[in-house]
């Protein structure tokens, strides 16, 4: 069963930066759309950003536009989420997931969920 693996989370002060990475051991991601999602305690999983298989199409939630950048390195089978100017409300467990074809950036259209990586923004 495919399960993506996220890394790069941690504790950072407001205004700081982190770069998350998403890989899929034993599976090639270059033909699939990838999304980053997050979930804070007591809330539903929400979309953060998505990228098409070629990387030519991207989507960002309004809450992260101008601060987060999604990218993919298909040669290294890795998808990144660069997060700058982090805010306390960005605190959540961040997940990456895979979609087949051109799908809306919505958790219902994605699968291969991993354990996530925790991002905590606090002073």
């Amino acid at each position: 069963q495919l399960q993506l693996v996220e890394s790069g989370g941690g504790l950072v002060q407001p205004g700081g930066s982190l770069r998350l990475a998403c890989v899929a051991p034993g599976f090639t991601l270059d033909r699939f759309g990838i999304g980053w999602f997050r979930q804070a305690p007591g809330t539903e999983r929400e979309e953060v950003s998505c990228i098409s298989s070629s990387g030519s199409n991207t989507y960002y939630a309004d809450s992260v536009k101008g601060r987060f950048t999604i990218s993919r390195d298909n040669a290294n089978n890795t998808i990144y989420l660069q997060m700058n100017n982090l805010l306390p409300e960005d605190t959540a467990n961040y997940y990456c997931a895979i979609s087949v074809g051109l799908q809306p950036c919505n958790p219902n259209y994605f699968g291969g969920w991993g354990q996530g990586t925790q991002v905590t923004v606090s002073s």
Side-chain angles (χ1 to χ4, degrees), residues 56-86:
S56 59
N57 294 302
T58 58
Y59 166 88
Y60 295 94
D62 288 344
S63 59
V64 306
K65 278 181 182 176
R67 301 188 297 121
F68 291 11
T69 303
I70 192 170
S71 62
R72 64 189 304 157
D73 180 351
N74 284 341
N76 289 304
N77 207 37
T78 304
I79 290 81
Y80 299 100
L81 184 69
Q82 177 67 44
M83 307 187 297
N84 297 329
N85 192 22
L86 282 160

PDB file of all heavy atoms in Angstrom, residues 56-86:
ATOM      1  N   SER A  56       3.654  22.590 -13.589  1.00  0.00           N
ATOM      2  CA  SER A  56       3.252  23.826 -14.257  1.00  0.00           C
ATOM      3  C   SER A  56       2.019  24.473 -13.632  1.00  0.00           C
ATOM      4  O   SER A  56       1.764  25.662 -13.846  1.00  0.00           O
ATOM      5  CB  SER A  56       2.983  23.552 -15.734  1.00  0.00           C
ATOM      6  OG  SER A  56       1.961  22.588 -15.883  1.00  0.00           O
ATOM      7  N   ASN A  57       1.245  23.704 -12.895  1.00  0.00           N
ATOM      8  CA  ASN A  57       0.050  24.235 -12.227  1.00  0.00           C
ATOM      9  C   ASN A  57       0.181  24.083 -10.727  1.00  0.00           C
ATOM     10  O   ASN A  57       0.525  22.999 -10.228  1.00  0.00           O
ATOM     11  CB  ASN A  57      -1.208  23.498 -12.693  1.00  0.00           C
ATOM     12  CG  ASN A  57      -1.503  23.756 -14.159  1.00  0.00           C
ATOM     13  OD1 ASN A  57      -1.673  24.892 -14.582  1.00  0.00           O
ATOM     14  ND2 ASN A  57      -1.547  22.702 -14.946  1.00  0.00           N
ATOM     15  N   THR A  58      -0.088  25.175 -10.026  1.00  0.00           N
ATOM     16  CA  THR A  58      -0.048  25.156  -8.568  1.00  0.00           C
ATOM     17  C   THR A  58      -1.283  25.839  -8.005  1.00  0.00           C
ATOM     18  O   THR A  58      -1.922  26.666  -8.675  1.00  0.00           O
ATOM     19  CB  THR A  58       1.200  25.853  -8.011  1.00  0.00           C
ATOM     20  OG1 THR A  58       1.230  27.209  -8.490  1.00  0.00           O
ATOM     21  CG2 THR A  58       2.470  25.140  -8.429  1.00  0.00           C
ATOM     22  N   TYR A  59      -1.589  25.474  -6.790  1.00  0.00           N
ATOM     23  CA  TYR A  59      -2.713  26.073  -6.059  1.00  0.00           C
ATOM     24  C   TYR A  59      -2.250  26.371  -4.644  1.00  0.00           C
ATOM     25  O   TYR A  59      -1.499  25.587  -4.041  1.00  0.00           O
ATOM     26  CB  TYR A  59      -3.900  25.101  -6.023  1.00  0.00           C
ATOM     27  CG  TYR A  59      -4.945  25.500  -5.013  1.00  0.00           C
ATOM     28  CD1 TYR A  59      -5.981  26.374  -5.346  1.00  0.00           C
ATOM     29  CD2 TYR A  59      -4.881  25.026  -3.703  1.00  0.00           C
ATOM     30  CE1 TYR A  59      -6.921  26.747  -4.408  1.00  0.00           C
ATOM     31  CE2 TYR A  59      -5.815  25.405  -2.755  1.00  0.00           C
ATOM     32  CZ  TYR A  59      -6.831  26.263  -3.113  1.00  0.00           C
ATOM     33  OH  TYR A  59      -7.758  26.642  -2.175  1.00  0.00           O
ATOM     34  N   TYR A  60      -2.716  27.501  -4.109  1.00  0.00           N
ATOM     35  CA  TYR A  60      -2.416  27.853  -2.727  1.00  0.00           C
ATOM     36  C   TYR A  60      -3.704  28.298  -2.028  1.00  0.00           C
ATOM     37  O   TYR A  60      -4.504  29.048  -2.601  1.00  0.00           O
ATOM     38  CB  TYR A  60      -1.405  28.992  -2.651  1.00  0.00           C
ATOM     39  CG  TYR A  60      -0.045  28.634  -3.197  1.00  0.00           C
ATOM     40  CD1 TYR A  60       0.288  28.912  -4.512  1.00  0.00           C
ATOM     41  CD2 TYR A  60       0.904  28.005  -2.394  1.00  0.00           C
ATOM     42  CE1 TYR A  60       1.529  28.581  -5.027  1.00  0.00           C
ATOM     43  CE2 TYR A  60       2.149  27.665  -2.888  1.00  0.00           C
ATOM     44  CZ  TYR A  60       2.452  27.952  -4.204  1.00  0.00           C
ATOM     45  OH  TYR A  60       3.680  27.616  -4.699  1.00  0.00           O
ATOM     46  N   ALA A  61      -3.873  27.851  -0.820  1.00  0.00           N
ATOM     47  CA  ALA A  61      -4.958  28.375  -0.001  1.00  0.00           C
ATOM     48  C   ALA A  61      -4.699  29.851   0.272  1.00  0.00           C
ATOM     49  O   ALA A  61      -3.535  30.287   0.365  1.00  0.00           O
ATOM     50  CB  ALA A  61      -5.048  27.602   1.311  1.00  0.00           C
ATOM     51  N   ASP A  62      -5.760  30.620   0.395  1.00  0.00           N
ATOM     52  CA  ASP A  62      -5.605  32.063   0.621  1.00  0.00           C
ATOM     53  C   ASP A  62      -4.754  32.354   1.847  1.00  0.00           C
ATOM     54  O   ASP A  62      -4.003  33.332   1.880  1.00  0.00           O
ATOM     55  CB  ASP A  62      -6.975  32.715   0.774  1.00  0.00           C
ATOM     56  CG  ASP A  62      -7.729  32.796  -0.529  1.00  0.00           C
ATOM     57  OD1 ASP A  62      -7.113  32.642  -1.602  1.00  0.00           O
ATOM     58  OD2 ASP A  62      -8.956  33.022  -0.493  1.00  0.00           O
ATOM     59  N   SER A  63      -4.861  31.505   2.847  1.00  0.00           N
ATOM     60  CA  SER A  63      -4.163  31.749   4.117  1.00  0.00           C
ATOM     61  C   SER A  63      -2.650  31.640   3.993  1.00  0.00           C
ATOM     62  O   SER A  63      -1.931  32.120   4.874  1.00  0.00           O
ATOM     63  CB  SER A  63      -4.668  30.783   5.185  1.00  0.00           C
ATOM     64  OG  SER A  63      -4.454  29.446   4.781  1.00  0.00           O
ATOM     65  N   VAL A  64      -2.158  31.020   2.920  1.00  0.00           N
ATOM     66  CA  VAL A  64      -0.708  30.829   2.793  1.00  0.00           C
ATOM     67  C   VAL A  64      -0.125  31.507   1.559  1.00  0.00           C
ATOM     68  O   VAL A  64       1.094  31.499   1.364  1.00  0.00           O
ATOM     69  CB  VAL A  64      -0.335  29.334   2.778  1.00  0.00           C
ATOM     70  CG1 VAL A  64      -0.914  28.629   3.998  1.00  0.00           C
ATOM     71  CG2 VAL A  64      -0.766  28.646   1.499  1.00  0.00           C
ATOM     72  N   LYS A  65      -0.966  32.109   0.736  1.00  0.00           N
ATOM     73  CA  LYS A  65      -0.476  32.771  -0.475  1.00  0.00           C
ATOM     74  C   LYS A  65       0.553  33.838  -0.133  1.00  0.00           C
ATOM     75  O   LYS A  65       0.365  34.623   0.787  1.00  0.00           O
ATOM     76  CB  LYS A  65      -1.641  33.407  -1.236  1.00  0.00           C
ATOM     77  CG  LYS A  65      -2.419  32.452  -2.105  1.00  0.00           C
ATOM     78  CD  LYS A  65      -3.534  33.176  -2.838  1.00  0.00           C
ATOM     79  CE  LYS A  65      -4.352  32.200  -3.673  1.00  0.00           C
ATOM     80  NZ  LYS A  65      -5.503  32.867  -4.327  1.00  0.00           N
ATOM     81  N   GLY A  66       1.635  33.841  -0.882  1.00  0.00           N
ATOM     82  CA  GLY A  66       2.695  34.814  -0.666  1.00  0.00           C
ATOM     83  C   GLY A  66       3.679  34.408   0.410  1.00  0.00           C
ATOM     84  O   GLY A  66       4.723  35.060   0.559  1.00  0.00           O
ATOM     85  N   ARG A  67       3.370  33.354   1.157  1.00  0.00           N
ATOM     86  CA  ARG A  67       4.278  32.894   2.218  1.00  0.00           C
ATOM     87  C   ARG A  67       4.830  31.498   1.945  1.00  0.00           C
ATOM     88  O   ARG A  67       5.963  31.202   2.313  1.00  0.00           O
ATOM     89  CB  ARG A  67       3.552  32.896   3.568  1.00  0.00           C
ATOM     90  CG  ARG A  67       3.019  34.256   3.975  1.00  0.00           C
ATOM     91  CD  ARG A  67       2.487  34.230   5.400  1.00  0.00           C
ATOM     92  NE  ARG A  67       1.338  33.331   5.564  1.00  0.00           N
ATOM     93  CZ  ARG A  67       1.321  32.303   6.411  1.00  0.00           C
ATOM     94  NH1 ARG A  67       2.377  32.032   7.173  1.00  0.00           N
ATOM     95  NH2 ARG A  67       0.243  31.536   6.503  1.00  0.00           N
ATOM     96  N   PHE A  68       4.019  30.646   1.349  1.00  0.00           N
ATOM     97  CA  PHE A  68       4.420  29.258   1.088  1.00  0.00           C
ATOM     98  C   PHE A  68       4.664  29.065  -0.405  1.00  0.00           C
ATOM     99  O   PHE A  68       3.985  29.675  -1.244  1.00  0.00           O
ATOM    100  CB  PHE A  68       3.333  28.290   1.525  1.00  0.00           C
ATOM    101  CG  PHE A  68       3.114  28.179   3.009  1.00  0.00           C
ATOM    102  CD1 PHE A  68       3.695  29.064   3.905  1.00  0.00           C
ATOM    103  CD2 PHE A  68       2.316  27.167   3.521  1.00  0.00           C
ATOM    104  CE1 PHE A  68       3.480  28.959   5.274  1.00  0.00           C
ATOM    105  CE2 PHE A  68       2.102  27.037   4.886  1.00  0.00           C
ATOM    106  CZ  PHE A  68       2.677  27.946   5.750  1.00  0.00           C
ATOM    107  N   THR A  69       5.597  28.187  -0.724  1.00  0.00           N
ATOM    108  CA  THR A  69       5.876  27.834  -2.114  1.00  0.00           C
ATOM    109  C   THR A  69       6.003  26.329  -2.245  1.00  0.00           C
ATOM    110  O   THR A  69       6.804  25.707  -1.537  1.00  0.00           O
ATOM    111  CB  THR A  69       7.169  28.492  -2.608  1.00  0.00           C
ATOM    112  OG1 THR A  69       7.080  29.916  -2.452  1.00  0.00           O
ATOM    113  CG2 THR A  69       7.408  28.168  -4.077  1.00  0.00           C
ATOM    114  N   ILE A  70       5.224  25.759  -3.153  1.00  0.00           N
ATOM    115  CA  ILE A  70       5.307  24.327  -3.423  1.00  0.00           C
ATOM    116  C   ILE A  70       6.171  24.114  -4.662  1.00  0.00           C
ATOM    117  O   ILE A  70       6.138  24.909  -5.609  1.00  0.00           O
ATOM    118  CB  ILE A  70       3.897  23.718  -3.617  1.00  0.00           C
ATOM    119  CG1 ILE A  70       3.955  22.189  -3.598  1.00  0.00           C
ATOM    120  CG2 ILE A  70       3.229  24.241  -4.885  1.00  0.00           C
ATOM    121  CD1 ILE A  70       2.572  21.525  -3.543  1.00  0.00           C
ATOM    122  N   SER A  71       6.969  23.067  -4.642  1.00  0.00           N
ATOM    123  CA  SER A  71       7.808  22.745  -5.790  1.00  0.00           C
ATOM    124  C   SER A  71       8.048  21.243  -5.812  1.00  0.00           C
ATOM    125  O   SER A  71       7.802  20.552  -4.827  1.00  0.00           O
ATOM    126  CB  SER A  71       9.141  23.495  -5.723  1.00  0.00           C
ATOM    127  OG  SER A  71       9.885  23.119  -4.581  1.00  0.00           O
ATOM    128  N   ARG A  72       8.513  20.777  -6.962  1.00  0.00           N
ATOM    129  CA  ARG A  72       8.820  19.352  -7.042  1.00  0.00           C
ATOM    130  C   ARG A  72      10.106  19.146  -7.826  1.00  0.00           C
ATOM    131  O   ARG A  72      10.398  19.873  -8.773  1.00  0.00           O
ATOM    132  CB  ARG A  72       7.655  18.586  -7.669  1.00  0.00           C
ATOM    133  CG  ARG A  72       7.307  18.911  -9.085  1.00  0.00           C
ATOM    134  CD  ARG A  72       5.983  18.222  -9.475  1.00  0.00           C
ATOM    135  NE  ARG A  72       6.050  16.778  -9.270  1.00  0.00           N
ATOM    136  CZ  ARG A  72       4.975  16.004  -9.091  1.00  0.00           C
ATOM    137  NH1 ARG A  72       3.754  16.528  -9.117  1.00  0.00           N
ATOM    138  NH2 ARG A  72       5.116  14.694  -8.917  1.00  0.00           N
ATOM    139  N   ASP A  73      10.850  18.160  -7.392  1.00  0.00           N
ATOM    140  CA  ASP A  73      12.087  17.756  -8.047  1.00  0.00           C
ATOM    141  C   ASP A  73      11.850  16.320  -8.505  1.00  0.00           C
ATOM    142  O   ASP A  73      12.118  15.372  -7.760  1.00  0.00           O
ATOM    143  CB  ASP A  73      13.248  17.860  -7.064  1.00  0.00           C
ATOM    144  CG  ASP A  73      14.577  17.463  -7.679  1.00  0.00           C
ATOM    145  OD1 ASP A  73      14.584  16.949  -8.806  1.00  0.00           O
ATOM    146  OD2 ASP A  73      15.609  17.658  -7.020  1.00  0.00           O
ATOM    147  N   ASN A  74      11.353  16.179  -9.706  1.00  0.00           N
ATOM    148  CA  ASN A  74      11.006  14.836 -10.181  1.00  0.00           C
ATOM    149  C   ASN A  74      12.242  13.956 -10.361  1.00  0.00           C
ATOM    150  O   ASN A  74      12.157  12.734 -10.244  1.00  0.00           O
ATOM    151  CB  ASN A  74      10.213  14.919 -11.480  1.00  0.00           C
ATOM    152  CG  ASN A  74       8.764  15.335 -11.252  1.00  0.00           C
ATOM    153  OD1 ASN A  74       8.247  15.223 -10.134  1.00  0.00           O
ATOM    154  ND2 ASN A  74       8.099  15.820 -12.279  1.00  0.00           N
ATOM    155  N   ALA A  75      13.367  14.556 -10.620  1.00  0.00           N
ATOM    156  CA  ALA A  75      14.588  13.759 -10.755  1.00  0.00           C
ATOM    157  C   ALA A  75      14.928  13.063  -9.442  1.00  0.00           C
ATOM    158  O   ALA A  75      15.485  11.961  -9.435  1.00  0.00           O
ATOM    159  CB  ALA A  75      15.744  14.645 -11.200  1.00  0.00           C
ATOM    160  N   ASN A  76      14.607  13.720  -8.336  1.00  0.00           N
ATOM    161  CA  ASN A  76      14.874  13.153  -7.017  1.00  0.00           C
ATOM    162  C   ASN A  76      13.610  12.656  -6.327  1.00  0.00           C
ATOM    163  O   ASN A  76      13.655  12.296  -5.147  1.00  0.00           O
ATOM    164  CB  ASN A  76      15.571  14.194  -6.135  1.00  0.00           C
ATOM    165  CG  ASN A  76      16.995  14.454  -6.580  1.00  0.00           C
ATOM    166  OD1 ASN A  76      17.799  13.525  -6.671  1.00  0.00           O
ATOM    167  ND2 ASN A  76      17.307  15.702  -6.887  1.00  0.00           N
ATOM    168  N   ASN A  77      12.486  12.662  -7.091  1.00  0.00           N
ATOM    169  CA  ASN A  77      11.236  12.070  -6.570  1.00  0.00           C
ATOM    170  C   ASN A  77      10.803  12.706  -5.255  1.00  0.00           C
ATOM    171  O   ASN A  77      10.358  12.003  -4.329  1.00  0.00           O
ATOM    172  CB  ASN A  77      11.419  10.552  -6.402  1.00  0.00           C
ATOM    173  CG  ASN A  77      10.121   9.808  -6.517  1.00  0.00           C
ATOM    174  OD1 ASN A  77       9.246  10.145  -7.304  1.00  0.00           O
ATOM    175  ND2 ASN A  77       9.986   8.752  -5.718  1.00  0.00           N
ATOM    176  N   THR A  78      10.955  14.030  -5.162  1.00  0.00           N
ATOM    177  CA  THR A  78      10.666  14.725  -3.914  1.00  0.00           C
ATOM    178  C   THR A  78       9.822  15.973  -4.201  1.00  0.00           C
ATOM    179  O   THR A  78      10.058  16.662  -5.188  1.00  0.00           O
ATOM    180  CB  THR A  78      11.956  15.145  -3.196  1.00  0.00           C
ATOM    181  OG1 THR A  78      12.782  13.984  -2.996  1.00  0.00           O
ATOM    182  CG2 THR A  78      11.654  15.776  -1.841  1.00  0.00           C
ATOM    183  N   ILE A  79       8.863  16.219  -3.326  1.00  0.00           N
ATOM    184  CA  ILE A  79       8.051  17.418  -3.405  1.00  0.00           C
ATOM    185  C   ILE A  79       8.314  18.233  -2.147  1.00  0.00           C
ATOM    186  O   ILE A  79       8.392  17.676  -1.041  1.00  0.00           O
ATOM    187  CB  ILE A  79       6.548  17.077  -3.525  1.00  0.00           C
ATOM    188  CG1 ILE A  79       6.255  16.472  -4.898  1.00  0.00           C
ATOM    189  CG2 ILE A  79       5.698  18.327  -3.347  1.00  0.00           C
ATOM    190  CD1 ILE A  79       6.589  15.002  -5.033  1.00  0.00           C
ATOM    191  N   TYR A  80       8.436  19.526  -2.297  1.00  0.00           N
ATOM    192  CA  TYR A  80       8.780  20.404  -1.190  1.00  0.00           C
ATOM    193  C   TYR A  80       7.668  21.414  -0.913  1.00  0.00           C
ATOM    194  O   TYR A  80       6.898  21.773  -1.802  1.00  0.00           O
ATOM    195  CB  TYR A  80      10.059  21.183  -1.516  1.00  0.00           C
ATOM    196  CG  TYR A  80      11.264  20.319  -1.758  1.00  0.00           C
ATOM    197  CD1 TYR A  80      11.685  20.033  -3.049  1.00  0.00           C
ATOM    198  CD2 TYR A  80      11.983  19.787  -0.686  1.00  0.00           C
ATOM    199  CE1 TYR A  80      12.788  19.237  -3.281  1.00  0.00           C
ATOM    200  CE2 TYR A  80      13.093  18.987  -0.910  1.00  0.00           C
ATOM    201  CZ  TYR A  80      13.496  18.718  -2.201  1.00  0.00           C
ATOM    202  OH  TYR A  80      14.591  17.935  -2.421  1.00  0.00           O
ATOM    203  N   LEU A  81       7.638  21.871   0.318  1.00  0.00           N
ATOM    204  CA  LEU A  81       6.798  23.001   0.697  1.00  0.00           C
ATOM    205  C   LEU A  81       7.678  23.942   1.507  1.00  0.00           C
ATOM    206  O   LEU A  81       8.030  23.646   2.649  1.00  0.00           O
ATOM    207  CB  LEU A  81       5.581  22.556   1.511  1.00  0.00           C
ATOM    208  CG  LEU A  81       4.615  23.687   1.856  1.00  0.00           C
ATOM    209  CD1 LEU A  81       3.904  24.171   0.586  1.00  0.00           C
ATOM    210  CD2 LEU A  81       3.584  23.238   2.896  1.00  0.00           C
ATOM    211  N   GLN A  82       8.061  25.051   0.880  1.00  0.00           N
ATOM    212  CA  GLN A  82       8.840  26.074   1.554  1.00  0.00           C
ATOM    213  C   GLN A  82       7.867  26.999   2.272  1.00  0.00           C
ATOM    214  O   GLN A  82       6.986  27.590   1.629  1.00  0.00           O
ATOM    215  CB  GLN A  82       9.684  26.871   0.554  1.00  0.00           C
ATOM    216  CG  GLN A  82      10.475  28.009   1.177  1.00  0.00           C
ATOM    217  CD  GLN A  82      11.566  27.516   2.107  1.00  0.00           C
ATOM    218  OE1 GLN A  82      12.291  26.575   1.785  1.00  0.00           O
ATOM    219  NE2 GLN A  82      11.716  28.169   3.251  1.00  0.00           N
ATOM    220  N   MET A  83       8.034  27.129   3.564  1.00  0.00           N
ATOM    221  CA  MET A  83       7.125  27.938   4.376  1.00  0.00           C
ATOM    222  C   MET A  83       7.899  29.076   5.019  1.00  0.00           C
ATOM    223  O   MET A  83       8.804  28.828   5.828  1.00  0.00           O
ATOM    224  CB  MET A  83       6.470  27.068   5.453  1.00  0.00           C
ATOM    225  CG  MET A  83       5.793  25.816   4.892  1.00  0.00           C
ATOM    226  SD  MET A  83       4.847  24.909   6.121  1.00  0.00           S
ATOM    227  CE  MET A  83       6.142  24.438   7.265  1.00  0.00           C
ATOM    228  N   ASN A  84       7.563  30.290   4.634  1.00  0.00           N
ATOM    229  CA  ASN A  84       8.216  31.480   5.166  1.00  0.00           C
ATOM    230  C   ASN A  84       7.223  32.314   5.968  1.00  0.00           C
ATOM    231  O   ASN A  84       6.009  32.166   5.821  1.00  0.00           O
ATOM    232  CB  ASN A  84       8.779  32.317   4.017  1.00  0.00           C
ATOM    233  CG  ASN A  84       9.841  31.597   3.232  1.00  0.00           C
ATOM    234  OD1 ASN A  84      10.590  30.776   3.756  1.00  0.00           O
ATOM    235  ND2 ASN A  84       9.930  31.895   1.943  1.00  0.00           N
ATOM    236  N   ASN A  85       7.762  33.193   6.790  1.00  0.00           N
ATOM    237  CA  ASN A  85       6.926  34.077   7.599  1.00  0.00           C
ATOM    238  C   ASN A  85       5.824  33.287   8.316  1.00  0.00           C
ATOM    239  O   ASN A  85       4.640  33.640   8.245  1.00  0.00           O
ATOM    240  CB  ASN A  85       6.321  35.179   6.726  1.00  0.00           C
ATOM    241  CG  ASN A  85       5.673  36.286   7.541  1.00  0.00           C
ATOM    242  OD1 ASN A  85       5.993  36.466   8.719  1.00  0.00           O
ATOM    243  ND2 ASN A  85       4.741  36.994   6.928  1.00  0.00           N
ATOM    244  N   LEU A  86       6.229  32.260   8.995  1.00  0.00           N
ATOM    245  CA  LEU A  86       5.259  31.388   9.657  1.00  0.00           C
ATOM    246  C   LEU A  86       4.532  32.116  10.774  1.00  0.00           C
ATOM    247  O   LEU A  86       5.117  32.967  11.479  1.00  0.00           O
ATOM    248  CB  LEU A  86       5.953  30.143  10.199  1.00  0.00           C
ATOM    249  CG  LEU A  86       6.262  29.093   9.116  1.00  0.00           C
ATOM    250  CD1 LEU A  86       7.359  28.144   9.578  1.00  0.00           C
ATOM    251  CD2 LEU A  86       5.005  28.321   8.762  1.00  0.00           C
TER     252      LEU A  86
END
